[in-house]
Amino acid sequence: MRATSWRLTMEAGPTKAKPVNADFAARIIKQASRPALAIGARITEHERLIEFVERLSRAGVAIIATAHAIRYTSERGIPAYKAGVVEATHLLTDPDWEGFDGKGKPDLLIVFAINLDLENQTFQTLKNFSDVKTLSIDRYFMVNATYSFPNLTEEAWLAQLDELCQKLGV
Amino acid sequence: MVTKPKKVKITKAESPTIKIGDLVIEIGEIEEDTWGEPLGPSPKPSWTELREWDKKLLNRYEPFYSPTCDMCCLCSYGKCDLTKDRKGACGITQRAQQARLILLECVIGAACHGAHARHMLEHQIERLGADYKIDLGLNIETEAPIYRTVIGKKPETLGDLLEGMEYAEREIQNLLASVHTGQEGDNLDLESKAMHAGMIDNLVKEIADLAQIVGYDFPKGDPDAPLAELGYGSVDKKKPLILFIGHNVAPGAEVITYAEAYGKADKVEIAGVCCTAHDLQRRDKSAKIIGPLSEQIRFVRSGIADVIVVDEQCVRTDILEEAMKVKTPVIATNDKMGLGLPDRTDDDPEAIVDDLVNYRIPGAFIHKPEKVGEVAVKVAERIAAKRAEFKGRALPEEEELKAEAARCVSCEKCQRACPVNLHISAALLEAAEGSFERLASLRKLCVGCMRCESACPRDIKIVSLMEKAAEGETYSQSYKIRVGRGPILDTEIRNVGAPIVFGEIPGVVAFAGCTNFANGAQEVAEMAEEFLKRNFIVVTSGCAAMAIARYKDENGETLYERYPGIFDAGGLVNVGSCVANAHILGAAIKIPYIFARRNLRANFEEIADYILHRVGAVGVVWGAMSAKALSIGTGLNRWGIPVILGPTGTKYRRLYLGRKDVPEKWEIYDAKTGEKLVTDPAPEHLAYVAESKEEAMVAIAKLVMRPNDTTKGRQIKLAHYIDLHKRYFGTMPEDIHLYVRTESDIPFNLKEVIMEILREKGWKERKIPDPTMLPRLIMKKKEAGK
């Protein structure tokens, strides 16, 4: 599969994301020891997004609610850690950080529904200053993640998210 | 203290033993000390002298990097790929490279304000003389708090300020040299140098604004500065209109002076975009502000301007090309941008006017402000009738809009180029069918960068179509803004010093900076209103001050009409242009000086230490774009003031983040006892990016907390923090236990709930210290070494 960065100027250098589909993404998540999902202010961009957060939480993915997304996770009773996206990313660059629960640092950060600039810069920080793998399941190809969905129409994106959850058994 | 060259001339002297004729003795400098304050440890500090202070800050607030580019292309060894653990050919690491770029941007910012200050100062000295007194009136004795603290002198005349300029220019040169290949390679030293550049930036902005306040008789801290007009609807389109773009008001002020002198003041319309507009209004309140930076090309394309005068900073580099499309001549006035135009500075004004009015030249470069005054007024008057077909009629007609929109092939290249990811193609498709609402709605979110047009393979003039769709609202609206008042009065500081330091006024929030907003300008006004209602002191400047003005309530009033301009609880203070925002920092510096009687003179560290631990001020730069905004913010950080950036601020590549989960990062001394103790993580961060306005508002309420808050003050601050957290996040703050020091800190009505949380967290009561990070400020000397 080939993909180009949604915003062409986000291409930062020679190390680029591998484009993946829902099936591949599910395998990455299953292989991770401590996957976490960061969501942000764009969680209200489509009414179904919070549903996917809930399903991924049920699949054992820890939820990090950035910006004011904690409001929406709380309303749905989804357990989540609250942190600014830059705060969470900063913690992930610390090799000695023991995670929000004190049991270990996430080894995979899944991201969607965050402001695109912030999403991209999050991937850039983690690519350069951590060993944490990153997976973008946003509708735009995020070239600086380790893995990313390609650019998708809204309809195709929601279908991919649905398939991803199904592959994870939720 | 005043430093001046002295000359003694004896034309004739005779005594029985000596005879003198035409003897001239010149003494280089005489130091006249008229300021009784003892000299502090760091007069005109080099970077090395403040490096230890920076290291203290950088230990607590770690640099957080997010590169926008993984490569370095600054020398011909490269490009070098620095991703992850790789090094460049010069040995540089990714961290150091990011810090190096930050330093470069801060130096660019400081140089920009410095060159502006130099130009303004020399212009005023040329007009008024070096001995012209700096007099800001009876209520401002502390005329230059930044200058006094950094330079260690009290400037009394315009000429005195030259010493500060010389210091700044030397430091800027040194800092820029550090960026060169094979120089500084340690990211913390590079960050420390960026802070030095930021401090220099703050200094030169103060010099620039002092020079123009004194020289042009701008308001001198007037809390009742008049209301003035902003918006497209504020200008009389029937009059010849001169549009000013940029930051340096010298040519604009001369245009006003010329118009006044020759009875033209009522015959031409003076308007501006960006900071020059603020300063035009400070010179003459009848001048109009069109809007912030984002309105630049849109207004130019409207064709309303009959002549455009550009000075420096934030001027689009394609301004001439755009102006020519609507037959508006351009006058470049400053050596920072000549635009390729012929230098007509020494030519006869009538000859220049004739060439411009008859379009023999598209514009002229005239770097003498007084001559610009005459030429601009005459060109505007004579050309207005000739270009009537363009004036306000340059936008496409509705049928043209539909036809243009229909050419869109929905390739989405516009959206992919758009910094705010606007769904432009979808709006164009609807416009092609005659429905313009969606396209019009995009205007409020558009930052006016024009990248969509540049990316469009069909060359559709997207911004002009958007403008046409929103024409009805844009062209009719006018708003009230309070004229930039400049400094904060010493008398105001006397009133608010104690309540700010003790926390009873919950905080000072300063909205400043550009219009690179992720979700439109209205968010700035909404945030400002929230904190005005909560009795914070809200201060603003630059494009942010304009964004606040472009928001009316249901009664049609802007925040400037509803809130007083006083520097006190519930006041909305517009200080003016970007250089005027030096007075916001100046107010923070005056608090330790006036309220706490700390010495300013060459006493940077102590003043910054005081502000960091006691003055609950926070800056919000919601739409930061420029290198200048970065250097201003980095300077504020060095003085101990935290800054919150909007989402686009993440592309500056670096933040300063605290770790509230690491207690040893928050070690301070109790100045009274010398005891080393861990204090509350306040302020938690020095440079932070918030993703949404909701997150920013909660962050503001948290970042105004200071270790020195009294229990009453902390109660008030906690009440705001908890209330905003519950409102926007729907929950109690999870870190409340870190900010409750004693039970008396807990807001009365929340006692039961919070005590329950504290019990769960295993909270223990803590001492409220007299906080400092500087061992030399410990009063019990023998314990200082601990």
Side-chain angles (χ1 to χ4, degrees):
Chain A
M1 198 191 305
R2 289 184 64 226
T4 55
S5 173
W6 172 250
R7 198 175 292 159
L8 293 168
T9 51
M10 280 180 176
E11 293 204 359
T15 307
K16 293 177 185 163
K18 180 181 173 66
V20 297
N21 58 20
D23 180 55
F24 199 105
R27 279 188 271 152
I28 295 164
I29 295 170
K30 282 178 186 167
Q31 281 167 13
S33 312
R34 295 181 59 79
L37 167 69
I39 56 162
R42 284 176 47 232
I43 196 67
T44 54
E45 202 170 272
H46 193 282
E47 59 192 11
R48 284 196 68 196
L49 297 186
I50 195 71
E51 170 204 324
F52 297 120
V53 176
E54 190 172 17
R55 288 165 72 183
L56 287 166
S57 174
R58 277 196 274 122
V61 174
I63 307 300
I64 305 168
T66 74
H68 57 292
I70 192 79
R71 176 172 206 100
Y72 304 98
T73 54
S74 298
E75 280 171 7
R76 299 277 290 227
I78 305 167
Y81 301 104
K82 184 188 78 64
V85 63
V86 292
E87 290 174 321
T89 308
H90 187 46
L91 292 169
L92 286 166
T93 62
D94 179 355
D96 300 323
W97 183 56
E98 286 299 321
F100 287 108
D101 58 3
K103 294 176 183 168
K105 194 167 80 168
D107 58 343
L108 174 71
L109 185 73
I110 310 158
V111 176
F112 83 150
I114 293 176
N115 168 281
L116 285 187
D117 283 327
L118 267 168
E119 249 184 49
N120 181 56
Q121 295 305 114
T122 297
F123 294 133
Q124 275 293 89
T125 298
L126 295 176
K127 178 169 87 178
N128 277 286
F129 305 115
S130 82
D131 292 322
V132 176
K133 302 278 187 218
T134 55
L135 165 64
S136 170
I137 54 171
D138 216 319
R139 64 174 285 198
Y140 307 111
F141 182 61
M142 300 304 290
V143 67
N144 296 307
T146 318
Y147 310 99
S148 174
F149 278 180
N151 295 316
L152 298 164
T153 62
E154 186 175 85
E155 195 180 19
W157 178 41
L158 296 173
Q160 285 284 295
L161 288 172
D162 191 42
E163 188 184 335
L164 170 67
C165 291
Q166 284 180 30
K167 299 270 181 189
L168 293 171
V170 288
Chain B
M1 184 186 293
V2 184
T3 306
K4 291 174 183 167
K6 292 285 176 189
K7 200 179 266 189
V8 179
K9 190 175 178 187
I10 301 168
T11 49
K12 193 178 178 187
E14 275 186 54
S15 77
T17 53
I18 194 165
K19 188 175 176 183
I20 296 173
D22 293 329
L23 173 68
V24 177
I25 303 166
E26 195 161 326
I27 302 161
E29 287 182 348
I30 291 177
E31 299 264 313
E32 292 174 34
D33 197 345
T34 59
W35 188 21
E37 200 168 296
L39 189 66
S42 55
K44 294 197 272 186
S46 66
W47 162 68
T48 54
E49 285 167 88
L50 296 179
R51 184 184 185 209
E52 285 312 306
W53 169 253
D54 299 337
K55 289 284 170 73
K56 286 182 174 70
L57 288 178
L58 293 167
N59 176 54
R60 185 191 280 186
Y61 303 102
E62 299 165 1
F64 163 89
Y65 296 112
S66 57
T68 53
C69 177
D70 292 335
M71 294 185 286
C72 176
C73 50
L74 286 177
C75 85
S76 62
Y77 278 136
K79 297 182 179 178
C80 292
D81 178 12
L82 306 178
T83 310
K84 212 163 168 94
D85 301 323
R86 296 187 183 100
K87 286 183 179 178
C90 65
I92 202 160
T93 63
Q94 185 69 285
R95 271 193 175 79
Q97 174 68 3
Q98 298 313 303
R100 185 183 178 206
L101 293 170
I102 285 286
L103 170 58
L104 181 60
E105 281 203 65
C106 286
V107 171
I108 292 170
C112 237
H113 285 136
H116 177 178
R118 167 67 77 175
H119 181 272
M120 181 57 70
L121 183 57
E122 288 186 348
H123 180 59
Q124 298 305 343
I125 288 175
E126 195 180 307
R127 289 177 67 231
L128 306 164
D131 290 333
Y132 196 82
K133 291 280 178 199
I134 297 171
D135 180 1
L136 300 185
L138 292 175
N139 291 321
I140 302 178
E141 280 181 31
T142 320
E143 73 303 301
I146 302 173
Y147 196 97
R148 288 188 186 198
T149 312
V150 176
I151 302 299
K153 293 189 177 178
K154 179 181 178 304
E156 294 184 346
T157 64
L158 288 174
D160 289 346
L161 294 170
L162 287 168
E163 188 178 356
M165 283 310 312
E166 282 156 20
Y167 160 74
E169 286 154 0
R170 187 192 69 209
E171 294 304 305
I172 287 169
Q173 177 169 296
N174 271 343
L175 293 168
L176 183 56
S178 294
V179 179
H180 194 272
T181 304
Q183 302 261 41
E184 194 64 77
D186 178 79
N187 74 302
L188 294 183
D189 273 345
L190 284 157
E191 291 294 348
S192 169
K193 289 176 180 182
M195 287 183 166
H196 196 57
M199 183 196 74
I200 300 293
D201 186 302
N202 302 148
L203 170 72
V204 293
K205 279 189 303 156
E206 186 181 70
I207 293 174
D209 208 50
L210 274 178
Q212 62 184 12
I213 289 173
V214 171
Y216 294 133
D217 197 22
F218 284 177
K220 298 178 175 75
D222 180 6
D224 298 316
L227 292 170
E229 300 282 332
L230 180 148
Y232 287 36
S234 69
V235 296
D236 183 348
K237 298 171 189 69
K238 293 189 192 100
K239 286 184 186 174
L241 188 140
I242 308 171
L243 177 70
F244 295 86
I245 305 174
H247 285 69
N248 187 329
V249 77
E254 297 301 340
V255 166
I256 293 172
T257 302
Y258 180 87
E260 286 170 346
Y262 290 88
K264 308 281 187 189
D266 294 337
K267 296 191 172 58
V268 292
E269 192 76 306
I270 307 286
V273 165
C274 215
C275 279
T276 293
H278 272 301
D279 289 340
L280 287 168
Q281 279 192 339
R282 294 167 83 190
R283 168 67 181 79
D284 176 357
K285 71 178 170 63
S286 67
K288 310 291 168 32
I289 297 177
I290 296 302
L293 171 67
S294 50
E295 296 298 334
Q296 188 170 158
I297 287 301
R298 293 168 179 157
F299 191 75
V300 170
R301 283 192 178 177
S302 78
I304 294 170
D306 292 297
V307 58
I308 295 171
V309 180
V310 299
D311 48 79
E312 58 177 306
Q313 305 161 42
C314 301
V315 182
R316 279 192 65 99
T317 51
D318 59 354
I319 190 75
L320 186 61
E321 180 188 332
E322 288 287 341
M324 284 169 69
K325 289 176 191 165
V326 287
K327 292 276 187 186
T328 309
V330 175
I331 303 175
T333 61
N334 191 291
D335 56 10
K336 276 52 142 229
M337 57 183 314
L339 293 173
L341 293 169
D343 189 341
R344 305 293 298 268
T345 310
D346 296 326
D347 290 359
D348 172 38
E350 283 299 334
I352 308 170
V353 171
D354 197 55
D355 283 349
L356 289 170
V357 169
N358 292 300
Y359 296 108
R360 287 188 208 101
I361 48 174
F365 179 34
I366 308 171
H367 45 91
K368 191 170 178 189
E370 294 83 355
K371 191 169 279 186
V372 175
E374 179 180 351
V375 171
V377 172
K378 286 181 174 172
V379 170
E381 282 196 310
R382 291 184 205 172
I383 209 168
K386 288 181 83 166
R387 51 179 307 285
E389 63 175 303
F390 293 100
K391 204 168 162 63
R393 294 174 187 156
L395 293 179
E397 296 298 326
E398 268 188 28
E399 283 310 308
E400 208 180 336
L401 161 54
K402 278 167 40 181
E404 272 291 289
R407 292 174 56 230
C408 172
V409 290
S410 297
C411 68
E412 294 186 321
K413 285 185 176 168
C414 48
Q415 187 179 344
R416 295 175 75 165
C418 175
V420 269
N421 205 34
L422 295 178
H423 298 272
I424 298 165
S425 302
L428 287 178
L429 285 181
E430 289 182 17
E433 299 300 318
S435 173
F436 305 141
E437 289 78 15
R438 190 167 179 178
L439 190 58
S441 72
L442 296 186
R443 192 191 192 280
K444 285 187 176 156
L445 301 171
C446 169
V447 296
C449 73
M450 319 292 289
R451 286 210 319 229
C452 52
E453 288 192 6
S454 190
C456 178
R458 311 217 62 189
D459 204 22
I460 297 171
K461 297 297 173 209
I462 296 164
V463 174
S464 293
L465 301 190
M466 206 184 284
E467 201 62 12
K468 178 65 186 175
E471 185 183 22
E473 188 181 345
T474 310
Y475 283 67
S476 62
Q477 286 287 356
S478 100
Y479 309 86
K480 295 286 185 197
I481 185 169
R482 195 171 295 285
V483 169
R485 56 168 276 186
I488 309 306
L489 304 178
D490 292 10
T491 43
E492 288 175 306
I493 298 294
R494 274 186 204 108
N495 290 336
V496 300
I500 288 175
V501 171
F502 296 143
E504 289 149 17
I505 288 179
V508 181
V509 192
F511 294 95
C514 334
T515 48
N516 189 18
F517 302 120
N519 294 300
Q522 187 166 319
E523 289 190 337
V524 181
E526 288 167 351
M527 287 191 277
E529 185 173 25
E530 179 72 57
F531 288 96
L532 284 165
K533 283 180 185 166
R534 290 173 180 273
N535 261 346
F536 282 60
I537 301 175
V538 176
V539 190
T540 187
S541 69
C543 286
M546 299 179 192
I548 287 173
R550 299 203 307 173
Y551 169 69
K552 290 179 179 175
D553 68 0
E554 63 278 9
N555 299 318
E557 288 188 322
T558 70
L559 292 176
Y560 293 104
E561 292 169 277
R562 291 160 52 204
Y563 292 90
I566 189 168
F567 190 81
D568 205 337
L572 174 57
V573 181
N574 174 21
V575 292
S577 54
C578 278
V579 290
N581 79 24
H583 306 303
I584 300 175
L585 170 60
I589 296 171
K590 283 185 186 187
I591 289 171
Y593 184 60
I594 294 171
F595 161 68
R597 300 183 181 281
R598 302 283 182 116
N599 288 341
L600 289 189
R601 190 170 193 173
N603 199 18
F604 178 89
E605 283 185 337
E606 182 175 343
I607 296 300
D609 183 68
Y610 187 98
I611 294 171
L612 176 68
H613 293 113
R614 295 160 203 272
V615 179
V618 58
V620 181
V621 192
W622 200 236
M625 172 279 293
S626 65
K628 293 182 297 166
L630 180 65
S631 60
I632 294 170
T634 304
L636 290 178
N637 294 156
R638 196 187 218 191
W639 291 91
I641 298 176
V643 173
I644 298 169
L645 300 157
T648 52
T650 189
K651 290 182 282 185
Y652 277 132
R653 312 176 188 87
R654 183 269 284 138
L655 300 170
Y656 295 138
L657 300 181
R659 287 282 299 269
K660 64 186 175 192
D661 58 324
V662 184
E664 56 269 28
K665 292 276 184 188
W666 304 94
E667 278 182 351
I668 48 131
Y669 298 102
D670 184 342
K672 286 198 182 80
T673 64
E675 186 187 355
K676 208 172 190 181
L677 44 84
V678 173
T679 187
D680 31 351
E684 186 184 359
H685 305 298
L686 262 194
Y688 182 74
V689 161
E691 190 190 346
S692 63
K693 73 169 193 285
E694 292 86 352
E695 183 186 1
M697 287 194 276
V698 175
I700 291 167
K702 181 152 73 161
L703 290 179
V704 294
M705 284 191 255
R706 293 293 180 276
N708 186 63
D709 294 338
T710 60
T711 53
K712 185 181 168 195
R714 183 57 63 91
Q715 266 191 40
I716 294 168
K717 291 184 182 186
L718 277 175
H720 288 296
Y721 175 46
I722 293 166
D723 184 51
L724 284 164
H725 201 285
K726 284 166 81 174
R727 185 190 302 176
Y728 293 119
F729 293 173
T731 59
M732 280 291 280
E734 73 297 339
D735 55 3
I736 196 87
H737 59 294
L738 299 175
Y739 296 100
V740 177
R741 302 157 303 174
T742 75
E743 282 191 38
S744 308
D745 284 346
I746 303 171
F748 185 71
N749 60 338
L750 296 167
K751 202 126 205 164
E752 219 169 285
V753 182
I754 291 178
M755 282 309 297
E756 181 60 34
I757 294 170
L758 297 183
R759 275 192 288 275
E760 279 171 23
K761 297 274 187 184
W763 171 85
K764 285 190 183 122
E765 190 157 283
R766 297 193 304 275
K767 189 179 168 184
I768 300 174
D770 181 2
T772 180
M773 292 206 293
L774 301 171
R776 71 180 166 85
L777 296 185
I778 295 167
M779 292 170 220
K780 285 194 173 176
K781 295 289 180 197
K782 67 174 187 179
E783 297 183 44
K786 276 191 176 179

